[in-house]
Amino acid sequence: MYRSHTCGELNAQQIGKKVTLSGWVQKVRNKGFMIWVDLRDRYGLTQLIFDEERSSKELMDKAGSLAREFVIQVEGTVIERESKNPNIATGEIEVLVEDFKILNSSKTPPFTIEDDTDGGEDLRMKYRYLDIRRNPVKNKLMFRHQVGMKVRNYLSNEGFIEIETPYLIKSTPEGARDFVVPSRMNEGQFYALPQSPQTFKQLLMVGGMDKYFQIVKCFRDEDLRADRQPEFTQIDCEMAFVEQEDILNIFEGLTRHLLKEIKGVDVAEFPRMTYDEAMKKYGNDKPDIRFGMEFAELDDLAKNKGFNVFDQQELVVGIAVPGAAVYTRKEIDNLISWVKRPQVGANGLVWAKYNEDSSLKSSVDKFYSQEDLKAWAQATGAKPGDLILVMAGDAAKTRTQLSALRMHLGNELGLRKADEFAPLWVVDFPLLEWDEETERFHAMHHPFTSPKKEDFALLETEPGKVRANAYDLVLNGNEIGGGSIRIHDKETQSQMFKYLGFTPEEAKEQFGFLMDAFQYGAPPHGGIAFGFDRLVAILGGQESIRDFIAFPKNNSGRDVMIDAPAKLDAEQLSELHLQLKS
Ligand code: ASP
């Protein structure tokens, strides 16, 4: 028996008891006549004591040779601690060691394995197995497990069945590039790793499984934006004989359940907003509605007043920043430089201070009277003490830029509170999205999403205006889930492929299996997928998903611990029938 108790288990009730513990040496304090050792395992920390007066010389010497991260097994007696530590569960006791065994020695670790470590991110990633011994990482992995269990229980209770779908599949266009895997047994042919189990879960509905879910890895070979992983986890779901409302209800229920169970917060019915409304009010399809600063379109109030800069623009739009009228010139200049950075790309920013005495002072006083500016204040909802910020330009771009500024200010002003949860459904997404590069329409969600019946006729005339039965769940400015009601008949699906620029041959080659299946009584169906890594991070009150993943990849998609991706040797390449270009 390696242990009778864990390192997090002993307390005053066990005083006098003989125990066996196993774990890692976190710290050694050697006073010569007395040696204290902090022994750690997943469950906690127990202080061990070696005492000249009570332990043999041999044992004292052996204890003196212990160093950080040695793995030891100790036998001893639980005694009351002289100076108690109320901060840890075992803080009332210590174990007077009678004998111990070194189960394994350790090299000196490259960083301290404590809550506050001296290890930088790169080093911690290279030695991730050591990093995982630290509470901040360990606790996040345990937290992830808890969330996963609650999700599984909830969905299982709702009648969902967890079914695994294959990882070696065929390339399917879902918006990103596929990771591909060469087949040794089928020369010149490749599998692709799934961007999501999309087509399989639809086939499970054709198969009559009715309610499917899976906590599943998905793979997308995208340029990695901040805090994205090339492989990530989804809570993937699909339901048959449902309408959008049914799906929103179930997954609103799941989210509410998680917020209640994990954060102890009750959230009222989730508000809903159409995509158009979200773009108009927040310039963003995943608005953080924990704070106001809603957009006000100022075209009527700001154009044709002699300020040429605004006159030619498609959109003039502003926000009121609460309490920011006190900003100095320098602070405002900083904001102007911030929006002019290439990451935001705005031309500039017009400002108007609504002073406490109700006067208005702006950067465009030459062109606008106090009355004009008051009208801006009214439109943006600015109160005395607030700062109005206005941008102008191409409508879509300007909205995106002002949204970036709104989020920046939300952070700066501390309005994005980690302990506040504001979920929101965004519905009625456009079906198609124009892609400048390829000069073609692409499916905004994916090619299996059904258009709204009432918009169907627009597909021929104004495809950009067609709305989809597609929805996203947004939480605190993050998209945590998205899904749609699917097309379930061959005819519509073929038409959709046509609109997306597939020839009938291409559609057949890539999706023949799905369209074939649709000929055998496919039920109406729809689904959703939640980004599990992000959901866990948000519930854990963190912005970054990385620490909630045991072995994450870095920003270049590398695993620096195992050093992947890596080259293949010539023999392996040849076995796979591959030849490198250079
Ligand atoms: N497969 C979709 C995605 O990964 C989600 C869905 O439509 O259910 O975004």
Side-chain angles (χ1 to χ4, degrees), residues 174 196 198 201 220 234 236 445-446 482-484 486 527-529:
E174 272 191 53
S196 84
Q198 185 59 39
K201 65 175 173 175
R220 295 183 191 174
Q234 280 190 346
D236 191 46
H445 188 48
H446 51 53
S484 59
R486 326 298 184 188
I528 193 165

Side-chain angles (χ1 to χ4, degrees), residues 50-261:
F50 299 81
D51 174 1
E52 194 175 61
E53 286 184 9
R54 292 177 280 184
S55 310
S56 69
K57 163 112 185 31
E58 198 191 347
L59 192 66
M60 290 302 285
D61 288 348
K62 202 166 126 194
S65 73
L66 285 175
R68 281 161 53 204
E69 302 310 314
F70 273 43
V71 186
I72 61 174
Q73 180 189 25
V74 305
E75 275 169 41
T77 306
V78 183
I79 58 172
E80 188 176 356
R81 234 203 244 197
E82 252 172 47
S83 53
K84 304 201 171 34
N85 177 357
N87 298 323
I88 60 172
T90 60
E92 285 182 315
I93 56 94
E94 56 195 351
V95 171
L96 178 66
V97 179
E98 276 132 35
D99 198 7
F100 77 93
K101 234 195 264 169
I102 295 178
L103 300 175
N104 213 339
S105 61
S106 170
K107 277 172 73 173
T108 305
F111 50 87
T112 49
I113 302 182
E114 294 185 29
D115 291 8
D116 284 323
T117 178
D118 55 0
E121 172 93 2
D122 290 347
L123 202 58
R124 293 198 292 110
M125 287 302 153
K126 185 160 161 48
Y127 297 92
R128 184 64 162 175
Y129 45 87
L130 297 179
D131 200 24
I132 290 172
R133 289 185 194 162
R134 297 173 51 240
N135 283 322
V137 182
K138 177 199 78 184
N139 289 342
K140 290 192 180 88
L141 296 181
M142 292 175 56
F143 180 74
R144 182 186 177 108
H145 164 76
Q146 290 300 336
V147 180
M149 289 303 285
K150 292 199 192 306
V151 169
R152 287 200 157 95
N153 283 336
Y154 184 89
L155 291 174
S156 182
N157 285 337
E158 290 287 341
F160 286 79
I161 313 276
E162 183 160 22
I163 305 173
E164 289 165 89
T165 50
Y167 281 162
L168 294 175
I169 66 164
K170 186 156 106 171
S171 192
T172 55
E174 272 191 53
R177 283 191 194 85
D178 286 324
F179 282 103
V180 295
V181 181
S183 165
R184 177 181 59 80
M185 288 190 292
N186 302 274
E187 184 171 347
Q189 296 190 325
F190 296 81
Y191 299 102
L193 302 179
Q195 293 184 31
S196 84
Q198 185 59 39
T199 49
F200 286 94
K201 65 175 173 175
Q202 291 191 241
L203 293 171
L204 286 170
M205 294 305 105
V206 181
M209 289 314 295
D210 203 60
K211 287 178 174 176
Y212 141 94
F213 89 102
Q214 186 181 190
I215 296 188
V216 63
K217 272 289 174 72
C218 301
F219 307 85
R220 295 183 191 174
D221 188 4
E222 288 176 296
D223 293 339
L224 295 177
R225 279 183 265 150
D227 214 28
R228 284 272 188 105
Q229 291 280 313
E231 53 177 307
F232 58 95
T233 306
Q234 280 190 346
I235 310 168
D236 191 46
C237 306
E238 196 76 3
M239 302 166 80
F241 303 110
V242 285
E243 291 170 340
Q244 175 165 313
E245 201 55 36
D246 302 299
I247 296 181
L248 300 196
N249 279 336
I250 292 270
F251 291 92
E252 183 163 327
L254 169 65
T255 312
R256 195 176 285 125
H257 175 75
L258 294 174
L259 286 171
K260 174 81 196 157
E261 291 264 303

Side-chain angles (χ1 to χ4, degrees), residues 506-524:
E506 283 167 345
K508 188 165 185 325
E509 187 189 308
Q510 292 194 42
F511 298 108
F513 63 94
L514 187 69
M515 290 195 287
D516 282 350
F518 283 177
Q519 296 176 100
Y520 293 95

Side-chain angles (χ1 to χ4, degrees), residues 352-511:
K353 288 181 176 181
Y354 196 176
N355 297 319
E356 292 288 359
D357 66 5
S358 289
S359 67
L360 280 128
K361 167 96 197 86
S362 83
S363 55
V364 284
D365 278 346
K366 252 198 260 166
F367 307 98
Y368 298 95
S369 67
Q370 289 285 304
E371 283 319 299
D372 290 333
L373 297 176
K374 280 248 159 78
W376 292 13
Q378 198 171 18
T380 55
K383 292 187 217 44
D386 294 353
L387 174 70
I388 302 167
L389 295 174
V390 182
M391 278 184 175
D394 166 84
K397 275 196 194 127
T398 307
R399 287 192 177 113
T400 307
Q401 291 159 353
L402 190 59
S403 168
L405 178 63
R406 177 180 174 271
M407 291 299 269
H408 173 67
L409 288 164
N411 286 327
E412 294 276 293
L413 298 170
L415 301 173
R416 307 188 65 205
K417 301 202 177 77
D419 57 354
E420 213 177 293
F421 292 90
L424 163 79
W425 287 108
V426 178
V427 298
D428 296 358
F429 274 80
L431 181 73
L432 304 167
E433 155 177 68
W434 183 253
D435 185 61
E436 298 281 348
E437 230 173 83
T438 51
E439 300 202 322
R440 256 192 23 205
F441 277 108
H442 282 260
M444 187 146 182
H445 188 48
H446 51 53
F448 318 107
T449 296
S450 71
K452 282 200 182 291
K453 264 205 197 85
E454 60 269 34
D455 290 359
F456 212 87
L458 290 173
L459 265 173
E460 290 290 350
T461 50
E462 288 180 283
K465 289 236 166 93
V466 178
R467 291 164 307 158
N469 289 311
Y471 33 81
D472 273 2
L473 181 62
V474 176
L475 183 56
N476 296 357
N478 298 282
E479 179 203 324
I480 60 162
S484 59
I485 296 296
R486 326 298 184 188
I487 296 166
H488 68 278
D489 65 287
K490 184 177 176 205
E491 200 44 47
T492 316
Q493 189 64 71
S494 326
Q495 246 177 319
M496 187 54 58
F497 287 135
K498 194 184 86 191
Y499 289 123
L500 294 172
F502 289 80
T503 64
E505 293 73 36
E506 283 167 345
K508 188 165 185 325
E509 187 189 308
Q510 292 194 42
F511 298 108

